[in-house]
PDB file of all heavy atoms in Angstrom:
ATOM      1  N   GLU B 216     -18.742 -13.260  12.179  1.00 68.00           N
ATOM      2  CA  GLU B 216     -17.468 -13.511  11.516  1.00 68.00           C
ATOM      3  C   GLU B 216     -17.076 -12.313  10.653  1.00 68.00           C
ATOM      4  O   GLU B 216     -15.932 -11.874  10.628  1.00 68.00           O
ATOM      5  CB  GLU B 216     -17.578 -14.772  10.656  1.00 68.00           C
ATOM      6  CG  GLU B 216     -16.270 -15.506  10.547  1.00 68.00           C
ATOM      7  CD  GLU B 216     -15.858 -15.683   9.103  1.00 68.00           C
ATOM      8  OE1 GLU B 216     -16.735 -15.805   8.243  1.00 68.00           O
ATOM      9  OE2 GLU B 216     -14.645 -15.691   8.861  1.00 68.00           O
ATOM     10  N   PHE B 217     -18.086 -11.780   9.962  1.00 68.00           N
ATOM     11  CA  PHE B 217     -17.797 -10.638   9.107  1.00 68.00           C
ATOM     12  C   PHE B 217     -17.428  -9.413   9.934  1.00 68.00           C
ATOM     13  O   PHE B 217     -16.558  -8.636   9.559  1.00 68.00           O
ATOM     14  CB  PHE B 217     -19.001 -10.340   8.213  1.00 68.00           C
ATOM     15  CG  PHE B 217     -18.695  -9.307   7.178  1.00 68.00           C
ATOM     16  CD1 PHE B 217     -17.843  -9.605   6.133  1.00 68.00           C
ATOM     17  CD2 PHE B 217     -19.237  -8.040   7.255  1.00 68.00           C
ATOM     18  CE1 PHE B 217     -17.545  -8.658   5.191  1.00 68.00           C
ATOM     19  CE2 PHE B 217     -18.934  -7.086   6.319  1.00 68.00           C
ATOM     20  CZ  PHE B 217     -18.082  -7.400   5.277  1.00 68.00           C
ATOM     21  N   GLN B 218     -18.087  -9.265  11.075  1.00 68.00           N
ATOM     22  CA  GLN B 218     -17.746  -8.141  11.951  1.00 68.00           C
ATOM     23  C   GLN B 218     -16.293  -8.208  12.391  1.00 68.00           C
ATOM     24  O   GLN B 218     -15.603  -7.199  12.443  1.00 68.00           O
ATOM     25  CB  GLN B 218     -18.638  -8.153  13.184  1.00 68.00           C
ATOM     26  CG  GLN B 218     -20.002  -7.565  12.931  1.00 68.00           C
ATOM     27  CD  GLN B 218     -20.721  -7.245  14.210  1.00 68.00           C
ATOM     28  OE1 GLN B 218     -20.109  -7.002  15.232  1.00 68.00           O
ATOM     29  NE2 GLN B 218     -22.037  -7.233  14.146  1.00 68.00           N
ATOM     30  N   ARG B 219     -15.841  -9.447  12.667  1.00 72.00           N
ATOM     31  CA  ARG B 219     -14.461  -9.609  13.083  1.00 72.00           C
ATOM     32  C   ARG B 219     -13.517  -9.187  11.963  1.00 72.00           C
ATOM     33  O   ARG B 219     -12.518  -8.520  12.165  1.00 72.00           O
ATOM     34  CB  ARG B 219     -14.217 -11.066  13.464  1.00 72.00           C
ATOM     35  CG  ARG B 219     -13.188 -11.205  14.558  1.00 72.00           C
ATOM     36  CD  ARG B 219     -13.095 -12.547  15.224  1.00 72.00           C
ATOM     37  NE  ARG B 219     -13.720 -13.643  14.544  1.00 72.00           N
ATOM     38  CZ  ARG B 219     -14.825 -14.260  14.979  1.00 72.00           C
ATOM     39  NH1 ARG B 219     -15.411 -13.854  16.067  1.00 72.00           N
ATOM     40  NH2 ARG B 219     -15.327 -15.286  14.322  1.00 72.00           N
ATOM     41  N   LYS B 220     -13.918  -9.567  10.732  1.00 74.00           N
ATOM     42  CA  LYS B 220     -13.117  -9.232   9.566  1.00 74.00           C
ATOM     43  C   LYS B 220     -13.032  -7.704   9.395  1.00 74.00           C
ATOM     44  O   LYS B 220     -11.977  -7.157   9.099  1.00 74.00           O
ATOM     45  CB  LYS B 220     -13.793  -9.848   8.340  1.00 74.00           C
ATOM     46  CG  LYS B 220     -12.899 -10.122   7.177  1.00 74.00           C
ATOM     47  CD  LYS B 220     -13.614 -11.096   6.265  1.00 74.00           C
ATOM     48  CE  LYS B 220     -13.134 -11.001   4.851  1.00 74.00           C
ATOM     49  NZ  LYS B 220     -13.905 -11.872   3.955  1.00 74.00           N
ATOM     50  N   CYS B 221     -14.181  -7.054   9.596  1.00 73.00           N
ATOM     51  CA  CYS B 221     -14.226  -5.599   9.460  1.00 73.00           C
ATOM     52  C   CYS B 221     -13.347  -4.930  10.514  1.00 73.00           C
ATOM     53  O   CYS B 221     -12.612  -3.980  10.224  1.00 73.00           O
ATOM     54  CB  CYS B 221     -15.650  -5.094   9.626  1.00 73.00           C
ATOM     55  SG  CYS B 221     -16.743  -5.735   8.392  1.00 73.00           S
ATOM     56  N   LEU B 222     -13.448  -5.447  11.708  1.00 73.00           N
ATOM     57  CA  LEU B 222     -12.666  -4.888  12.805  1.00 73.00           C
ATOM     58  C   LEU B 222     -11.184  -5.022  12.484  1.00 73.00           C
ATOM     59  O   LEU B 222     -10.393  -4.098  12.700  1.00 73.00           O
ATOM     60  CB  LEU B 222     -13.003  -5.625  14.101  1.00 73.00           C
ATOM     61  CG  LEU B 222     -12.990  -4.784  15.363  1.00 73.00           C
ATOM     62  CD1 LEU B 222     -14.110  -3.778  15.321  1.00 73.00           C
ATOM     63  CD2 LEU B 222     -13.127  -5.665  16.591  1.00 73.00           C
ATOM     64  N   GLY B 223     -10.811  -6.184  11.928  1.00 77.00           N
ATOM     65  CA  GLY B 223      -9.420  -6.408  11.539  1.00 77.00           C
ATOM     66  C   GLY B 223      -8.990  -5.414  10.484  1.00 77.00           C
ATOM     67  O   GLY B 223      -7.895  -4.833  10.550  1.00 77.00           O
ATOM     68  N   LYS B 224      -9.881  -5.158   9.517  1.00 75.00           N
ATOM     69  CA  LYS B 224      -9.561  -4.226   8.436  1.00 75.00           C
ATOM     70  C   LYS B 224      -9.376  -2.813   8.987  1.00 75.00           C
ATOM     71  O   LYS B 224      -8.476  -2.082   8.588  1.00 75.00           O
ATOM     72  CB  LYS B 224     -10.694  -4.263   7.405  1.00 75.00           C
ATOM     73  CG  LYS B 224     -10.415  -3.505   6.145  1.00 75.00           C
ATOM     74  CD  LYS B 224      -9.479  -4.256   5.233  1.00 75.00           C
ATOM     75  CE  LYS B 224      -8.933  -3.311   4.165  1.00 75.00           C
ATOM     76  NZ  LYS B 224      -7.935  -3.944   3.318  1.00 75.00           N
ATOM     77  N   MET B 225     -10.248  -2.466   9.935  1.00 74.00           N
ATOM     78  CA  MET B 225     -10.141  -1.143  10.549  1.00 74.00           C
ATOM     79  C   MET B 225      -8.812  -1.005  11.287  1.00 74.00           C
ATOM     80  O   MET B 225      -8.191   0.051  11.291  1.00 74.00           O
ATOM     81  CB  MET B 225     -11.273  -0.934  11.555  1.00 74.00           C
ATOM     82  CG  MET B 225     -12.638  -0.869  10.951  1.00 74.00           C
ATOM     83  SD  MET B 225     -13.157   0.819  10.623  1.00 74.00           S
ATOM     84  CE  MET B 225     -13.142   1.489  12.263  1.00 74.00           C
ATOM     85  N   LYS B 226      -8.404  -2.097  11.916  1.00 76.00           N
ATOM     86  CA  LYS B 226      -7.142  -2.077  12.639  1.00 76.00           C
ATOM     87  C   LYS B 226      -5.986  -1.847  11.681  1.00 76.00           C
ATOM     88  O   LYS B 226      -5.055  -1.097  11.977  1.00 76.00           O
ATOM     89  CB  LYS B 226      -6.955  -3.404  13.377  1.00 76.00           C
ATOM     90  CG  LYS B 226      -7.204  -3.300  14.862  1.00 76.00           C
ATOM     91  CD  LYS B 226      -6.897  -4.615  15.557  1.00 76.00           C
ATOM     92  CE  LYS B 226      -7.220  -4.518  17.025  1.00 76.00           C
ATOM     93  NZ  LYS B 226      -7.570  -5.817  17.589  1.00 76.00           N
ATOM     94  N   ASP B 227      -6.062  -2.521  10.509  1.00 78.00           N
ATOM     95  CA  ASP B 227      -5.038  -2.331   9.481  1.00 78.00           C
ATOM     96  C   ASP B 227      -4.942  -0.861   9.101  1.00 78.00           C
ATOM     97  O   ASP B 227      -3.870  -0.278   9.028  1.00 78.00           O
ATOM     98  CB  ASP B 227      -5.394  -3.119   8.212  1.00 78.00           C
ATOM     99  CG  ASP B 227      -5.147  -4.597   8.396  1.00 78.00           C
ATOM    100  OD1 ASP B 227      -4.566  -4.964   9.434  1.00 78.00           O
ATOM    101  OD2 ASP B 227      -5.538  -5.374   7.504  1.00 78.00           O
ATOM    102  N   VAL B 228      -6.116  -0.283   8.827  1.00 74.00           N
ATOM    103  CA  VAL B 228      -6.164   1.117   8.408  1.00 74.00           C
ATOM    104  C   VAL B 228      -5.517   1.995   9.477  1.00 74.00           C
ATOM    105  O   VAL B 228      -4.684   2.859   9.184  1.00 74.00           O
ATOM    106  CB  VAL B 228      -7.624   1.555   8.167  1.00 74.00           C
ATOM    107  CG1 VAL B 228      -7.715   3.046   7.936  1.00 74.00           C
ATOM    108  CG2 VAL B 228      -8.202   0.809   6.988  1.00 74.00           C
ATOM    109  N   ALA B 229      -5.902   1.720  10.720  1.00 73.00           N
ATOM    110  CA  ALA B 229      -5.373   2.523  11.814  1.00 73.00           C
ATOM    111  C   ALA B 229      -3.860   2.335  11.942  1.00 73.00           C
ATOM    112  O   ALA B 229      -3.131   3.266  12.278  1.00 73.00           O
ATOM    113  CB  ALA B 229      -6.070   2.139  13.117  1.00 73.00           C
ATOM    114  N   GLY B 230      -3.397   1.128  11.629  1.00 76.00           N
ATOM    115  CA  GLY B 230      -1.979   0.841  11.789  1.00 76.00           C
ATOM    116  C   GLY B 230      -1.102   1.513  10.749  1.00 76.00           C
ATOM    117  O   GLY B 230       0.118   1.552  10.886  1.00 76.00           O
ATOM    118  N   GLN B 231      -1.716   2.041   9.679  1.00 79.00           N
ATOM    119  CA  GLN B 231      -0.910   2.627   8.612  1.00 79.00           C
ATOM    120  C   GLN B 231      -0.655   4.111   8.813  1.00 79.00           C
ATOM    121  O   GLN B 231      -0.333   4.824   7.862  1.00 79.00           O
ATOM    122  CB  GLN B 231      -1.610   2.419   7.264  1.00 79.00           C
ATOM    123  CG  GLN B 231      -1.558   0.988   6.798  1.00 79.00           C
ATOM    124  CD  GLN B 231      -2.663   0.692   5.817  1.00 79.00           C
ATOM    125  OE1 GLN B 231      -3.334   1.612   5.340  1.00 79.00           O
ATOM    126  NE2 GLN B 231      -2.876  -0.566   5.511  1.00 79.00           N
ATOM    127  N   GLY B 232      -0.827   4.569  10.013  1.00 79.00           N
ATOM    128  CA  GLY B 232      -0.534   5.970  10.287  1.00 79.00           C
ATOM    129  C   GLY B 232      -1.631   6.901   9.827  1.00 79.00           C
ATOM    130  O   GLY B 232      -1.443   8.107   9.712  1.00 79.00           O
ATOM    131  N   ARG B 233      -2.813   6.356   9.525  1.00 83.00           N
ATOM    132  CA  ARG B 233      -3.922   7.226   9.157  1.00 83.00           C
ATOM    133  C   ARG B 233      -4.652   7.652  10.418  1.00 83.00           C
ATOM    134  O   ARG B 233      -4.572   6.987  11.448  1.00 83.00           O
ATOM    135  CB  ARG B 233      -4.905   6.479   8.272  1.00 83.00           C
ATOM    136  CG  ARG B 233      -4.353   6.102   6.964  1.00 83.00           C
ATOM    137  CD  ARG B 233      -5.348   5.233   6.242  1.00 83.00           C
ATOM    138  NE  ARG B 233      -4.630   4.261   5.448  1.00 83.00           N
ATOM    139  CZ  ARG B 233      -4.099   4.541   4.285  1.00 83.00           C
ATOM    140  NH1 ARG B 233      -4.222   5.738   3.785  1.00 83.00           N
ATOM    141  NH2 ARG B 233      -3.448   3.629   3.616  1.00 83.00           N
ATOM    142  N   THR B 234      -5.390   8.736  10.276  1.00 87.00           N
ATOM    143  CA  THR B 234      -6.174   9.211  11.401  1.00 87.00           C
ATOM    144  C   THR B 234      -7.582   8.659  11.248  1.00 87.00           C
ATOM    145  O   THR B 234      -8.156   8.760  10.170  1.00 87.00           O
ATOM    146  CB  THR B 234      -6.194  10.745  11.384  1.00 87.00           C
ATOM    147  OG1 THR B 234      -4.845  11.182  11.217  1.00 87.00           O
ATOM    148  CG2 THR B 234      -6.779  11.302  12.644  1.00 87.00           C
ATOM    149  N   VAL B 235      -8.105   8.079  12.285  1.00 87.00           N
ATOM    150  CA  VAL B 235      -9.448   7.515  12.211  1.00 87.00           C
ATOM    151  C   VAL B 235     -10.307   8.108  13.322  1.00 87.00           C
ATOM    152  O   VAL B 235      -9.871   8.212  14.467  1.00 87.00           O
ATOM    153  CB  VAL B 235      -9.427   5.974  12.356  1.00 87.00           C
ATOM    154  CG1 VAL B 235     -10.833   5.404  12.234  1.00 87.00           C
ATOM    155  CG2 VAL B 235      -8.505   5.347  11.348  1.00 87.00           C
TER     156      VAL B 235
END
Side-chain angles (χ1 to χ4, degrees):
Chain B
E216 211 237 328
F217 188 70
Q218 280 195 26
R219 212 167 16 250
K220 205 163 155 185
C221 298
L222 215 67
K224 188 77 195 175
M225 294 266 299
K226 256 185 183 152
D227 285 352
V228 171
Q231 288 157 11
R233 294 173 214 280
T234 311
V235 182

